[in-house]
Amino acid sequence: MPKKRAGSAKHAEPSVTLSLRGANRLQARHPWVYRSDITEANDIPPGSVVRVHDPRGKFLGTALYSSSSQIAIRMISHGSVNDLPGLIAERIRAAIAYRKELVANTDAYRIVFSEADFLPGLIVDRYNDVVSLQILTQAMDAVPVREAIVRTLREELHPAGIVERVEARIRELEQLPALPSGLLWGEKSSSEFRMNGIGFHYDGREGQKTGAFLDQRENYAAAAQYAHGEALDAFCYQGRFALHMAEKCSSVTGVDSSRPALEMAEKNATLNGRELEWMEANAFDLLREYAAAGRHYDTVVLDPPAFAKTKRDLEKALRGYKELNLRAMKMLRPGGILVTCSCSFHVSAADFLKVVADAAQDAHKSLRVLENRGAAKDHPMLLNVPETSYLQCLILNVSD
Ligand code: SAH
């Protein structure tokens, strides 16, 4: 248990002292410290800006405090912070500038990616003239911080609307009051955007995450380079792999268990003057049936939801990936293309390579790696923070 210090004038400012392990973590440039590594804390209100010290009392920097999360503090600066809303505005401007160099051929991309943009607890995506954001921590939920976020996004991006997408479970975990999703500013919550020359609808009131899986943007274009013949996009959501591959393939079928996702996929196809087939089905069952019935494809995309939400799920998740990949490999004609993804951050790049290799062994196939990819550059990975690397996308040439 952290010792509580009396609120003397000296310690009026919220501050914490870390165990050696906690201090070493920060020194290694990881921004999180767990509650068990806090050895001393004065009375700290939820969401406070706290000064952080090592066991000898040396000042290490400033962090944002959560009273409920196991991740008790997330570093925001290696120095002192006197004006958090001002610092957040500055970081948002820096994140926007960072993407100016990196993002091309799209008007939809991630603007702020939490820790990876030194803004822990904030996610902002842009869909053309609509900005969609998620607030994930107590500190980011404070009214002056929210105001600074909205003001900066308005000044820098001039959107027609800013929508907040609420993850109810996360607000609960952070012990924040329930809040509906909705417009934070402006009038517009839906739009159309273009990526890699293809048009898509965006509806900020619907869908999963902030609306689209923008982290796959560069992988769509990469997959389209190799796609050919008859293609199957399993776990297709709103059809983005499918639509990217359509130009190169004789037919494309998209499969998802979510009807609203498929309705949007159909609208997206119409927007691009394409006719694709959409199937509402459990992709695991469908692949099992197709593999057993000897159905063949030339290109298969596997982009399932995260199987490993926690470390404990890892074994089960790996079995799930193996099974799916095995079935897809069996269905591919010689020279076929397998685009296989994992977005579980508990599944490391090495784990994923191994599981796909094991599936190849069982399917009696040889795999040549065409591309070994991760998330698009607007979802940067912080090298010292493995949690920021979660998306794997392998593009493989499959032969007998
Ligand atoms: N490839 C998509 C993202 C896929 S996200 C893109 O790039 O936009 C995972 C998708 O799997 C979601 O659309 C979800 O509805 C779907 N899903 C989850 N479980 C499923 C199942 N058992 N069968 C088919 N689809 C499933």
Side-chain angles (χ1 to χ4, degrees), residues 279-297:
M279 284 176 63
E280 185 183 342
N282 180 325
F284 298 93
D285 296 345
L286 191 85
L287 258 71
R288 189 185 309 122
E289 281 165 33
Y290 278 13
R295 286 272 310 237
H296 289 298
Y297 285 91

Side-chain angles (χ1 to χ4, degrees), residues 225-246:
Q225 259 187 281
Y226 308 98
H228 64 272
E230 286 179 76
L232 180 70
D233 178 5
F235 310 92
C236 67
Y237 188 50
Q238 299 173 345
R240 270 173 271 279
F241 272 109
L243 276 157
H244 276 80
M245 299 191 299

